[in-house]
Amino acid sequence: MISSLPAEIFKAYDIRGIVDKTLTPAGVRTIGQALGALAFERQCHTIAVGRDGRLSGPVLSATLIDGIRASGIHVIDLGQVATPMTYFAAHQLNTGCSVMLTGSHNPPDYNGLKMVIAGETLSGAAIQALRERIERSDLRTATVPGALTTRDIAPAYLDRIVGDVRLERPLHIVVDAGNGVAGAFAPALYERLGCKVTPLFCEVDGTFPNHHPDPSQPKNLQTLIARVQQENAELGLAFDGDGDRLGVVTRDGNIIYPDRQLMLFAADVLKRVPGATVIYDIKSTRLLSPWIQQHGGVPLMWKTGHSLIKAKMKETGAQLAGEMSGHTFFGERWYGFDDGLYAGARLLEILSQHADASAILNALPDSASTPELALACAREGDQHALIALLQKEAYFPHANEVIHIDGVRVEYEDGFGLARASNTTPTVVLRFEADDEAALQRIQRDFREQLHAVAGDEIKLPF
């Protein structure tokens, strides 16, 4: 470890830390130089760089760009954009490489980097290899720094979506960006598609003064629900801080969680690509697999994590994938990266074919379930140790199947329970689903007993 780059900022899917504490401008410059060296080795010449609306973005972006250029790699500065716009730039500008400075849905004092080099979204071992490169000072310093150009990618990005998506009729929607960077682009996009848009918290403000930009948490959707009803709108769309995740609410106040959104997307994609593989993460509803099969697709459960899902899509040729957190990945008609703004456009396209958009969403299969529950651990790493113990020692005698691809998912005749280690915070993530409340309680009781058996009675469970 070196002082400006503590090992804990190198996460499973990205680099992320507290600005001026674990993530400093000097540290970000070093990361940029290491990324430049990696790009050079992979025969890439240019990296597109974007940043979200966080207050630390301009300073960290400048040092990141300086570090990349020091390695001799050219930089296209995209300025303030949503994360999917940097992924799009890597395709549109033929760089194959992009780096997004974003803290995603973390608190305002966080920032981080999501990295694509030579078409690969860096994750897991690749991120640790980058850390090791920095620790051994395996950097590249060019005699002539790389060139710097700027590019407004928004027109090409918006044109590409508007050229792809067609609405049968205009819809009245409310868009809640939570003061994240999606607010600069989403209202204009949906207006161009023909919608009447009521913006909510769409002014980009890195202090997030109204609510946290995390649509996976029901408490962050309450103002949106109220505004949809107040405006008599048909639908509400919500985005996270960097615009790669989508939340959806109906006019009657129901939250349509991303695994149910994926049902609608799967039925639509499979009309045009019968037999396609559809990937969903370990946290998703067990109702997805039979739904995908019923619509002529091949269901595939996989590990949670946007970079892990993207890698699995490449490996399998899947046309669609989704995570419970709100990341949705379209291979059909799009590029296979997670994009909340594009997912919103595809959702509107489907719903515009019906007279009552909320009725279509509410009719999707559902069951009794919990949201994601978090069991806090004392230290980073404790969550992985607890799950390893659970995988080794837990016993679920009434289970149909126990799945270990990412934590412990226990399938029953009438539901499932899940415990997995978060790769971003020192927590164990839990989720439960069942045919009815009685089954839900029974499955939770099984997990309670096993967690206490392996970790002791003193752990405080969130259920």
PDB file of all heavy atoms in Angstrom, residues 58 168 270 277 310 324 355 447 461:
ATOM      1  N   PRO A  58     -14.659  18.226 -10.968  1.00  0.00           N
ATOM      2  CA  PRO A  58     -13.724  18.988 -11.806  1.00  0.00           C
ATOM      3  C   PRO A  58     -12.258  18.809 -11.402  1.00  0.00           C
ATOM      4  O   PRO A  58     -11.397  18.611 -12.264  1.00  0.00           O
ATOM      5  CB  PRO A  58     -14.191  20.432 -11.616  1.00  0.00           C
ATOM      6  CG  PRO A  58     -15.663  20.306 -11.334  1.00  0.00           C
ATOM      7  CD  PRO A  58     -15.784  19.059 -10.507  1.00  0.00           C
ATOM      8  N   GLU A 168     -45.676   4.812 -29.572  1.00  0.00           N
ATOM      9  CA  GLU A 168     -46.959   4.750 -30.275  1.00  0.00           C
ATOM     10  C   GLU A 168     -47.850   5.939 -29.922  1.00  0.00           C
ATOM     11  O   GLU A 168     -48.698   6.348 -30.702  1.00  0.00           O
ATOM     12  CB  GLU A 168     -47.692   3.454 -29.922  1.00  0.00           C
ATOM     13  CG  GLU A 168     -47.013   2.188 -30.416  1.00  0.00           C
ATOM     14  CD  GLU A 168     -47.061   2.058 -31.929  1.00  0.00           C
ATOM     15  OE1 GLU A 168     -48.108   2.382 -32.521  1.00  0.00           O
ATOM     16  OE2 GLU A 168     -46.044   1.646 -32.514  1.00  0.00           O
ATOM     17  N   LEU A 270     -37.708 -10.857 -26.692  1.00  0.00           N
ATOM     18  CA  LEU A 270     -37.853 -12.226 -27.195  1.00  0.00           C
ATOM     19  C   LEU A 270     -38.833 -12.336 -28.361  1.00  0.00           C
ATOM     20  O   LEU A 270     -38.796 -13.315 -29.098  1.00  0.00           O
ATOM     21  CB  LEU A 270     -38.259 -13.156 -26.049  1.00  0.00           C
ATOM     22  CG  LEU A 270     -37.142 -13.412 -25.028  1.00  0.00           C
ATOM     23  CD1 LEU A 270     -37.683 -14.052 -23.753  1.00  0.00           C
ATOM     24  CD2 LEU A 270     -36.031 -14.283 -25.631  1.00  0.00           C
ATOM     25  N   THR A 277     -30.719 -15.664 -24.788  1.00  0.00           N
ATOM     26  CA  THR A 277     -30.401 -15.791 -23.367  1.00  0.00           C
ATOM     27  C   THR A 277     -30.698 -14.470 -22.662  1.00  0.00           C
ATOM     28  O   THR A 277     -30.361 -13.395 -23.169  1.00  0.00           O
ATOM     29  CB  THR A 277     -28.920 -16.154 -23.165  1.00  0.00           C
ATOM     30  OG1 THR A 277     -28.682 -17.443 -23.745  1.00  0.00           O
ATOM     31  CG2 THR A 277     -28.532 -16.194 -21.697  1.00  0.00           C
ATOM     32  N   LYS A 310     -21.799  -7.744 -17.447  1.00  0.00           N
ATOM     33  CA  LYS A 310     -21.345  -7.413 -18.812  1.00  0.00           C
ATOM     34  C   LYS A 310     -20.407  -8.489 -19.358  1.00  0.00           C
ATOM     35  O   LYS A 310     -20.505  -8.867 -20.529  1.00  0.00           O
ATOM     36  CB  LYS A 310     -20.669  -6.033 -18.827  1.00  0.00           C
ATOM     37  CG  LYS A 310     -21.662  -4.887 -18.929  1.00  0.00           C
ATOM     38  CD  LYS A 310     -20.990  -3.539 -18.961  1.00  0.00           C
ATOM     39  CE  LYS A 310     -20.857  -2.969 -17.588  1.00  0.00           C
ATOM     40  NZ  LYS A 310     -20.742  -1.509 -17.527  1.00  0.00           N
ATOM     41  N   MET A 324     -31.203  -6.593  -9.796  1.00  0.00           N
ATOM     42  CA  MET A 324     -32.185  -6.088  -8.849  1.00  0.00           C
ATOM     43  C   MET A 324     -31.886  -4.634  -8.458  1.00  0.00           C
ATOM     44  O   MET A 324     -32.796  -3.885  -8.094  1.00  0.00           O
ATOM     45  CB  MET A 324     -32.165  -6.985  -7.611  1.00  0.00           C
ATOM     46  CG  MET A 324     -33.256  -6.728  -6.619  1.00  0.00           C
ATOM     47  SD  MET A 324     -34.878  -7.086  -7.299  1.00  0.00           S
ATOM     48  CE  MET A 324     -35.883  -6.115  -6.186  1.00  0.00           C
ATOM     49  N   ALA A 355     -53.130   1.468 -23.584  1.00  0.00           N
ATOM     50  CA  ALA A 355     -53.886   2.648 -23.141  1.00  0.00           C
ATOM     51  C   ALA A 355     -53.597   3.003 -21.689  1.00  0.00           C
ATOM     52  O   ALA A 355     -53.624   4.168 -21.309  1.00  0.00           O
ATOM     53  CB  ALA A 355     -55.384   2.396 -23.319  1.00  0.00           C
ATOM     54  N   PHE A 447     -33.319 -18.895   7.830  1.00  0.00           N
ATOM     55  CA  PHE A 447     -32.084 -18.110   7.696  1.00  0.00           C
ATOM     56  C   PHE A 447     -31.638 -17.549   9.045  1.00  0.00           C
ATOM     57  O   PHE A 447     -30.439 -17.501   9.337  1.00  0.00           O
ATOM     58  CB  PHE A 447     -32.272 -16.987   6.666  1.00  0.00           C
ATOM     59  CG  PHE A 447     -31.889 -17.388   5.274  1.00  0.00           C
ATOM     60  CD1 PHE A 447     -32.715 -18.224   4.525  1.00  0.00           C
ATOM     61  CD2 PHE A 447     -30.695 -16.959   4.713  1.00  0.00           C
ATOM     62  CE1 PHE A 447     -32.353 -18.613   3.234  1.00  0.00           C
ATOM     63  CE2 PHE A 447     -30.327 -17.340   3.423  1.00  0.00           C
ATOM     64  CZ  PHE A 447     -31.160 -18.170   2.682  1.00  0.00           C
ATOM     65  N   LEU A 461     -29.804  -9.091  13.359  1.00  0.00           N
ATOM     66  CA  LEU A 461     -30.341  -9.307  12.008  1.00  0.00           C
ATOM     67  C   LEU A 461     -31.400  -8.247  11.681  1.00  0.00           C
ATOM     68  O   LEU A 461     -32.168  -7.845  12.563  1.00  0.00           O
ATOM     69  CB  LEU A 461     -30.950 -10.701  11.912  1.00  0.00           C
ATOM     70  CG  LEU A 461     -29.970 -11.861  12.119  1.00  0.00           C
ATOM     71  CD1 LEU A 461     -30.702 -13.189  12.097  1.00  0.00           C
ATOM     72  CD2 LEU A 461     -28.876 -11.847  11.080  1.00  0.00           C
TER      73      LEU A 461
END
